[in-house]
Amino acid sequence: MKSQKKNIILIEDDLALGSSISELLSLSNFNVNWLVDGIKALEYLKTNTPDIIISDLMMPNMNGEELYINIKKNNKFNTIPFIVITANMDDEVKFKQLENGVNDYIMKPFKSKELILKVRNLLDLKTNIEKKFKPDPFSKVTIKLSEKDFITSLNEYILKNLKSKIGIEELSNQLFISKSTLDKKIRKHTQKNSSQYIREFKLQYAIRLIDLGERNVQHLVNETGFNSFSYFSTSFKSYVGLSTRDYIKSIKDKI
């Protein structure tokens, strides 16, 4: 059975380069929708959800950075990888994009193999994370349906809003229960209070990203929605028993 082609949105105003990249991706077995500016991309995304987004940084009307910030305002795009293409060699420009949360960037001129490998690696990472966080239908653990629905709904909401600060009141409203009932149900099933459960869920996500190859600590902070680098680092060390960098080093040493 053939695997379904992944859908890529390419935003590139240079017609010659856009045509070349689009053809390259199509030949590599991807479905490609090529748009020439950020405004058209936002319109397209209102009714379409791609598997990955590739955008030039410098464009008229709306540049790649503005496009990324606008896209990430919508929670449904939180888990979609975003690659920036740029000819700007300035480190500050590159670092700013990474701090914003973009997953990777490619410097012009680039080798076609580099682009394809980065696209495939990010898509594989996204797929692996989704698989790990989906409930296992063949789990041997038997729990009541109502309990399973509650934990599943809780985890799905946290995952979809991972980059945001998740408030207890907002979470209880989404699950249609009071704040006190939410806390009681979480304590009953996990022996943790609501804030602890959310924090440790985010930390578990960060650990899985590290285990899958992520090494940029600031990216981990961005992906898990912690208020600050220092709060993430303190929480991580308290939960794991190692600093983030020491944990990453321990993973490297095992390889």
Side-chain angles (χ1 to χ4, degrees):
M1 182 178 176
K2 292 183 178 180
S3 59
Q4 188 174 1
K5 287 185 178 182
K6 297 294 185 180
N7 296 310
I8 296 178
I9 290 182
L10 169 66
I11 306 99
E12 173 58 69
D13 65 309
D14 185 309
L15 299 184
L17 181 59
S19 178
S20 297
I21 296 175
S22 180
E23 182 178 359
L24 170 65
L25 293 169
S26 296
L27 290 172
S28 299
N29 205 34
F30 295 109
N31 288 325
V32 185
N33 288 284
W34 171 29
L35 304 166
V36 296
D37 66 54
I39 294 174
K40 286 185 173 64
L42 287 180
E43 282 298 316
Y44 180 85
L45 289 168
K46 286 180 181 179
T47 54
N48 298 274
T49 304
D51 293 296
I52 192 166
I53 300 170
I54 302 172
S55 175
D56 189 12
L57 184 60
M58 301 304 296
M59 297 183 293
N61 301 324
M62 177 181 291
N63 64 35
E65 181 177 0
E66 293 170 323
L67 172 63
Y68 175 80
I69 291 171
N70 273 282
I71 287 174
K72 291 304 174 177
K73 289 177 182 177
N74 190 329
N75 287 334
K76 79 173 184 176
F77 297 118
N78 276 350
T79 60
I80 296 176
F82 193 105
I83 297 177
V84 165
I85 299 175
T86 178
N88 192 323
M89 299 296 289
D90 184 59
D91 283 343
E92 288 304 313
V93 172
K94 292 186 288 185
F95 294 156
K96 185 178 181 184
Q97 305 317 307
L98 292 172
E99 287 172 357
N100 284 342
V102 300
N103 300 93
D104 210 338
Y105 60 85
I106 294 177
M107 302 298 299
K108 298 177 185 176
F110 56 85
K111 296 184 183 297
S112 58
K113 187 174 182 179
E114 177 187 8
L115 174 62
I116 297 303
L117 287 175
K118 287 192 173 185
V119 168
R120 286 177 177 164
N121 287 346
L122 283 173
L123 286 172
D124 286 345
L125 178 62
K126 178 175 179 284
T127 300
N128 287 335
I129 290 171
E130 288 173 346
K131 283 180 180 177
K132 284 178 178 290
F133 275 86
K134 281 181 180 176
D136 180 6
F138 303 107
S139 173
K140 294 180 181 179
V141 179
T142 303
I143 54 178
K144 292 180 181 178
L145 181 61
S146 59
E147 294 174 351
K148 182 179 179 181
D149 286 347
F150 170 72
I151 294 297
T152 299
S153 298
L154 175 64
N155 290 347
E156 285 179 349
Y157 183 79
I158 297 173
L159 186 60
K160 286 180 181 178
N161 297 275
L162 206 63
K163 290 186 178 182
S164 309
K165 182 180 178 182
I166 301 173
I168 304 303
E169 184 170 353
E170 175 192 357
L171 184 54
S172 62
N173 288 338
Q174 290 294 323
L175 297 176
F176 304 103
I177 54 177
S178 67
K179 288 191 292 183
S180 60
T181 301
L182 172 68
D183 194 63
K184 287 177 183 177
K185 288 174 79 69
I186 290 177
R187 286 177 185 273
K188 176 184 176 183
H189 299 309
T190 69
Q191 290 72 56
K192 301 168 187 176
N193 64 39
S194 302
S195 297
Q196 181 186 1
Y197 184 80
I198 295 169
R199 182 173 63 255
E200 292 185 2
F201 185 100
K202 288 171 173 275
L203 290 170
Q204 278 291 337
Y205 186 88
I207 290 168
R208 291 183 182 184
L209 287 178
I210 294 171
D211 292 344
L212 289 166
E214 181 58 58
R215 299 293 180 258
N216 186 319
V217 180
Q218 183 61 58
H219 181 65
L220 295 173
V221 176
N222 295 338
E223 289 298 303
T224 51
F226 275 79
N227 293 335
S228 67
F229 188 100
S230 60
Y231 179 46
F232 172 84
S233 300
T234 302
S235 300
F236 190 96
K237 186 170 184 178
S238 176
Y239 182 62
V240 177
L242 293 171
S243 69
T244 316
R245 298 194 186 280
D246 285 343
Y247 181 78
I248 290 172
K249 184 176 183 300
S250 73
I251 295 296
K252 286 181 179 178
D253 291 342
K254 290 177 183 178
I255 297 174

